[in-house]
């Protein structure tokens, strides 16, 4: 009898401990998610919820057939994601491999490289916007010293996206490097010894031993990097708030923000923005599903 009573008390204590996060997730995640889905099937030009008018799939049809900005933003976002994540993975893996040699000062270098990752995205974006500024930017001051013409980095179509990619790669190197370094440290050294006895070259050992052994880490970093890049907003909104020159830096989430809060509320508004945000979510989910499917061919957990 006492044993059953203790079990009931443990269950009650457990439920009480779970209650605060469950309430928080429900209020700030589940409820807004459901409401945004309902709102995506209607129009709302004000903040008064009683003004909503349901229009079915009209918002989705308008976005996919009439909104050239959103269609263009999909291409811009995937280009940014592929280039920035790809460069970040390659460079951080190279740095991680170098740092496995335990050189003098490597710990300090790791800390310095990791600092941008823990800094605020708003602070970093503001700093880089100042660096790339045409009139007062440090980069153009250096161009003056080298007797080169000034460049309007964030307002030139050929350089605006490149600046944002550079900032993204620079900001994510520290985190990727630390995880890759840990993965490289855990590779079984006897595999390399056996490969050396068989006369394998350095390239052969890298592609046949190193990459398969660190593939779970690469899988995680690529997935999180791509999903994060597809949802990029703060850096684009601060550095190129209106999509940059000729819409070259117009990303999906920036498009959602601009049409929801800066566009004509009677033609677009909350319902239109909610539908656009759900399309972004669907695109991310489709990409993640394809990525998980393809990962079975190259990720090794042995």
């Amino acid at each position: 009898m006492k044993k059953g009573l203790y079990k009931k008390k443990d269950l009650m204590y457990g439920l009480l401990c779970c209650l605060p996060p469950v309430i928080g997730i429900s209020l700030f995640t589940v409820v807004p998610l459901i409401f945004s889905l309902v709102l995506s099937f209607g129009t709302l030009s004000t903040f008064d919820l009683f003004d909503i008018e349901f229009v079915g799939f009209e918002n989705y049809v308008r976005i996919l057939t009439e909104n050239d900005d959103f269609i263009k933003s999909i291409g811009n976002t995937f280009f940014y994601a592929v280039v920035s994540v790809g460069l970040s993975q390659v460079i951080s893996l190279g740095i991680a491999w170098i740092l496995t040699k335990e050189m003098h000062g490597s710990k300090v270098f790791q800390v310095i490289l990791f600092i941008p990752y823990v800094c605020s995205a708003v602070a970093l974006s503001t700093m880089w916007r100042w660096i790339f500024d045409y009139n007062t930017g440090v980069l153009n001051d250096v161009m003056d010293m080298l007797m080169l013409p000034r460049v309007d980095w964030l307002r030139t179509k050929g350089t605006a996206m490149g600046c944002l990619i550079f900032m993204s790669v620079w900001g994510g190197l520290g985190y990727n490097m630390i995880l890759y370094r840990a993965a490289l440290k855990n590779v079984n050294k006897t595999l390399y010894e056996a490969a050396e006895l068989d006369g394998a070259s350095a390239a052969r050992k890298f592609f046949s031993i190193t990459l398969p052994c660190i593939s779970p880490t690469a899988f995680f970093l690529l997935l999180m990097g791509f999903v994060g890049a597809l949802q990029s907003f703060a850096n684009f909104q601060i550095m190129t708030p209106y999509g940059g020159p000729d819409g070259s830096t117009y990303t999906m989430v920036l498009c959602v923000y601009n049409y929801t809060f800066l566009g004509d509320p009677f033609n677009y508004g909350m319902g239109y923005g909610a539908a656009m945000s759900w399309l972004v979510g669907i695109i991310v989910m489709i990409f993640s599903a394809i990525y998980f499917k393809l990962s079975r061919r190259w990720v090794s957990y042995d």
Side-chain angles (χ1 to χ4, degrees):
M1 184 70 179
K2 288 184 178 180
K3 190 175 182 180
L5 186 61
Y6 284 134
K7 283 186 176 180
K8 288 182 179 179
K9 286 185 176 180
D10 289 342
L11 179 61
M12 289 180 61
Y13 286 134
L15 291 174
L16 286 173
C17 290
C18 292
L19 200 58
V22 168
I23 293 174
I25 292 172
S26 300
L27 288 177
F28 300 107
T29 302
V30 178
V31 172
L33 199 65
I34 295 173
F35 177 71
S36 69
L37 180 61
V38 174
L39 187 59
S40 69
F41 295 102
T43 59
L44 183 64
S45 56
T46 66
F47 289 98
D48 187 350
L49 302 182
F50 294 101
D51 291 340
I52 186 171
E53 296 180 9
F54 290 99
V55 293
F57 287 93
E58 181 181 324
N59 288 328
Y60 292 94
V61 173
R62 287 178 61 199
I63 293 168
L64 296 175
T65 58
E66 300 176 9
N67 196 319
D68 294 333
D69 287 338
F70 183 72
I71 302 302
K72 187 174 184 178
S73 72
I74 296 174
N76 290 339
T77 306
F78 272 93
F79 174 79
Y80 166 77
V82 170
V83 177
S84 63
V85 174
L87 285 175
S88 180
Q89 300 301 309
V90 172
I91 297 172
S92 57
L93 178 57
I95 295 173
W97 181 80
I98 294 172
L99 292 177
T100 56
K101 308 303 179 183
E102 296 295 343
M103 298 179 296
H104 181 69
S106 62
K107 299 290 185 183
V108 176
F109 181 75
Q110 290 177 54
V111 172
I112 293 172
L113 202 60
F114 190 73
I115 288 174
Y117 181 78
V118 298
C119 291
S120 165
V122 175
L124 292 179
S125 300
T126 304
M127 180 190 75
W128 280 107
R129 183 177 181 180
W130 170 70
I131 291 173
F132 290 125
D133 187 84
Y134 179 78
N135 295 311
T136 60
V138 175
L139 189 55
N140 273 330
D141 289 342
V142 174
M143 299 286 283
D144 290 340
M145 293 171 60
L146 297 174
M147 306 296 289
L148 295 173
R150 285 178 169 252
V151 179
D152 200 351
W153 301 98
L154 298 178
R155 295 182 182 178
T156 303
K157 186 176 181 181
T159 59
M161 181 61 83
C163 292
L164 285 154
I165 290 173
F166 176 83
M167 174 190 163
S168 175
V169 173
W170 171 81
L173 280 180
Y175 178 74
N176 295 337
M177 174 271 298
I178 286 178
L179 292 189
Y180 273 130
R181 185 174 180 274
L184 290 169
K185 284 280 190 180
N186 288 326
V187 176
N188 193 340
K189 300 300 184 291
T190 58
L191 297 175
Y192 292 119
E193 294 171 0
E196 287 177 1
L197 291 174
D198 290 337
S201 63
R204 181 70 175 176
K205 286 188 287 185
F206 178 77
F207 288 104
S208 299
I209 299 174
T210 306
L211 279 184
C213 288
I214 67 171
S215 58
T217 302
F219 166 77
F220 169 76
L221 289 175
L222 282 169
L223 177 64
M224 299 306 294
F226 270 110
V227 172
L230 293 177
Q231 301 177 82
S232 293
F233 171 69
N235 51 343
F236 284 87
Q237 201 272 336
I238 292 171
M239 297 180 72
T240 56
Y242 300 104
D246 196 25
S248 59
T249 61
Y250 215 23
T251 59
M252 293 188 292
V253 180
L254 181 60
C255 191
V256 172
Y257 173 80
N258 285 350
Y259 272 87
T260 304
F261 299 105
L262 304 180
D264 182 356
F266 296 100
N267 289 326
Y268 305 110
M270 299 293 178
Y272 191 87
M276 196 178 288
S277 64
W278 270 95
L279 286 174
V280 173
I282 291 170
I283 290 171
V284 173
M285 285 188 286
I286 291 173
F287 166 80
S288 300
I290 295 172
Y291 180 76
F292 270 96
K293 190 76 174 179
L294 294 176
S295 69
R296 299 175 184 175
R297 300 182 180 181
W298 60 276
V299 179
S300 174
Y301 293 99
D302 298 332

